[in-house]
Amino acid sequence: MDSGNTAWLLASSALVCLMIPGIAFFYGGMVGSRRILNMMLMCFGGASLVAVLWVLYGYSAAFGNSLTGAGLLGNPAEFFGLSDLLVEDPDSSLPLALFAAFQLMFACVTTALVAGAAAGRMKFGAWMLFAGLWATLVYFPVAHWVFAFSSDDGSVTGGWIANQLGAIDFAGGTAVHLNAGVAALALALVLGRSKGWPHAHGKPHSRPLVLLGAGLLWVGWYGFNAGSALSAGHAAAVVFLNTAVAAAAGLLGWMLMDRLRLGTSSSLGAASGLISALVAITPACGAVSPLGALAIGLLAGLVCSLAIEWKFRLGYDDSLDVVGVHAVGGLLGTLLIGLFATDAAPNGVSGLFYGGGFELLGIQALAAAAVLVYSFAVTWVLAKVLAMTIGLRIPEESELQGIDMAAHAESAYLNDEDPVDLGARP
């Protein structure tokens, strides 16, 4: 075992775990004060359920030997219970248990991202059931496509996007962000709009919480991207640098667009620009130069700031902008690899602007299209089935009053309208 690489991946796993409360604070600050507990618990609850499923069959489905060698799904029973990972593999430079833990955090983060589409109007029990089924039917297979690499000796067959197609996705632009963003769109369409949307739609109740969440995500993203190098070496250093500069460019780009369009730059816009750039650089962080990272981050801030307006024109309720930031940002970053990739970067391939022609752009587009279509179709069918059986929406009265009391019998803040329950536990 390489102790340096092991230490780096341990730290990176903790950083990715930090993104879960980061998402909870980011989303929680964006909703009304009587929706924040539900929003945060959807993030924590969904992530926790996925962790249990990961031990049972999720890791196997994502990283097990591909069934029939087709590259579509790992064998769900291969590592059941993860007991096999207790034995040290003499041929691996990293503990397999640590790799499983690192990838577990990706699964948890991706599921938590989808929760933003259901803000304030979905039954908590229905969300938990949806989260488990969605991870099983969508995330685990797509993670196998993108993240599971075949072994050098041919004894293990990985996913078709990573191996047969050869698309580049360093840390999850397709498997995580495009996947979650498109799933959020499908879920939002089945759920329908919030009561009174968009005119009576509540504004973010705590912009400081939004900035806090964005800050935690910014820090955690270094583990997300640089940790995906799986070693504490040159590749991780380049990815770390690219992630840092892209994030800064995205923040400035969104603020600039707000200034040009609205005459002011907002804290919410700055936080959204930061996240959109981090989303876009995620697949490209190992394929581009720092100048390329700046360009991708800036373009993400500009494009995603415009994309969030689509929900008003097209009429879907994506109050937390999961579609505009994660779906659009993930798609943009995946495609821009085909333009900005340079063979001097760790991935070692060139895009159109560096003499590589259009081939890489076509490969990236095919990978993105496959994830987009699969995620949207399966998520829509899953949500539709749950809507017709157990029901997804909370009662209208509970939605108007705020979901926190109805779903959890708790309020985040005491005010004149909230009775003080002296018998409640602290």
Side-chain angles (χ1 to χ4, degrees):
M1 294 294 171
D2 187 304
S3 59
N5 292 342
T6 300
W8 169 237
L9 198 59
L10 282 167
S12 295
S13 300
L15 287 171
V16 181
C17 186
L18 183 66
M19 297 175 70
I20 299 171
I23 295 169
F25 279 119
F26 185 72
Y27 282 172
M30 293 177 69
V31 299
S33 62
R34 297 185 177 215
R35 296 179 170 187
I36 178 175
L37 293 179
N38 177 256
M39 188 71 262
M40 297 183 77
L41 283 175
M42 288 176 75
C43 296
F44 285 119
S48 298
L49 177 59
V50 170
V52 174
L53 300 180
W54 190 253
V55 172
L56 297 178
Y57 58 82
Y59 176 76
S60 298
F63 292 99
N65 197 6
S66 183
L67 292 172
T68 72
L72 298 176
L73 183 69
N75 181 355
E78 184 172 352
F79 299 103
F80 175 81
L82 301 187
S83 297
D84 292 347
L85 304 189
L86 298 177
V87 180
E88 185 174 344
D89 184 354
D91 297 324
S92 176
S93 64
L94 287 170
L96 293 181
L98 176 55
F99 176 76
F102 179 64
Q103 288 294 336
L104 161 64
M105 300 307 167
F106 279 62
C108 294
V109 165
T110 308
T111 305
L113 289 174
V114 182
R121 63 193 190 279
M122 187 173 184
K123 297 177 183 176
F124 186 71
W127 160 252
M128 292 295 291
L129 180 58
F130 170 86
L133 292 172
W134 184 84
T136 300
L137 299 175
V138 181
Y139 181 77
F140 298 157
V142 173
H144 183 74
W145 299 358
V146 176
F147 292 145
F149 288 91
S150 301
S151 61
D152 294 335
D153 60 7
S155 60
V156 176
T157 302
W160 71 276
I161 286 180
N163 299 280
Q164 288 94 324
L165 183 61
I168 295 175
D169 188 349
F170 196 88
T174 53
V176 176
H177 298 290
L178 178 59
N179 191 8
V182 170
L185 175 61
L187 179 59
L189 290 175
V190 175
L191 271 173
R193 306 169 188 171
S194 300
K195 299 301 179 183
W197 184 92
H199 303 294
H201 185 65
K203 295 181 179 180
H205 87 283
S206 177
R207 286 171 173 80
L209 282 184
V210 174
L211 290 172
L212 172 62
L216 292 175
L217 287 168
W218 194 354
V219 173
W221 227 290
Y222 293 118
F224 197 88
N225 284 1
S228 294
L230 302 181
S231 64
H234 175 72
V238 172
V239 167
F240 198 109
L241 174 61
N242 283 343
T243 301
V245 299
L251 184 149
L252 296 176
W254 194 302
M255 292 180 71
L256 174 62
M257 183 60 73
D258 275 357
R259 185 72 178 181
L260 295 174
R261 295 172 57 239
L262 308 174
T264 186
S265 299
S266 67
S267 60
L268 186 61
S272 299
L274 174 70
I275 302 305
S276 66
L278 288 167
V279 168
I281 198 59
T282 292
C285 54
V288 301
S289 69
L291 285 177
L294 284 174
I296 290 173
L298 179 62
L299 287 170
L302 297 174
V303 172
C304 292
S305 67
L306 299 175
I308 63 170
E309 300 298 325
W310 296 350
K311 62 185 178 183
F312 301 113
R313 297 180 182 180
L314 300 179
Y316 61 89
D317 183 358
D318 177 30
S319 55
L320 305 188
D321 299 322
V322 187
V323 179
V325 171
H326 293 276
V328 175
L331 178 61
L332 186 67
T334 299
L335 295 179
L336 288 178
I337 294 172
L339 303 181
F340 290 106
T342 170
D343 59 5
N347 281 126
V349 294
S350 294
L352 180 63
F353 295 165
Y354 288 82
F358 286 97
E359 181 180 1
L360 181 58
L361 180 59
I363 290 173
Q364 296 300 114
L366 180 57
V371 172
L372 190 156
V373 171
Y374 179 81
S375 180
F376 183 87
V378 177
T379 304
W380 190 89
V381 171
L382 172 60
K384 202 70 175 177
V385 169
L386 292 179
M388 294 187 297
T389 51
I390 65 172
L392 297 180
R393 293 288 290 262
I394 62 173
E396 181 176 347
E397 180 181 358
S398 298
E399 184 176 334
L400 294 173
Q401 291 179 352
I403 192 173
D404 284 356
M405 284 299 298
H408 309 291
E410 294 178 306
S411 294
Y413 310 103
L414 288 177
N415 57 47
D416 293 338
E417 297 178 358
D418 293 326
V420 177
D421 184 0
L422 298 178
R425 57 185 173 86

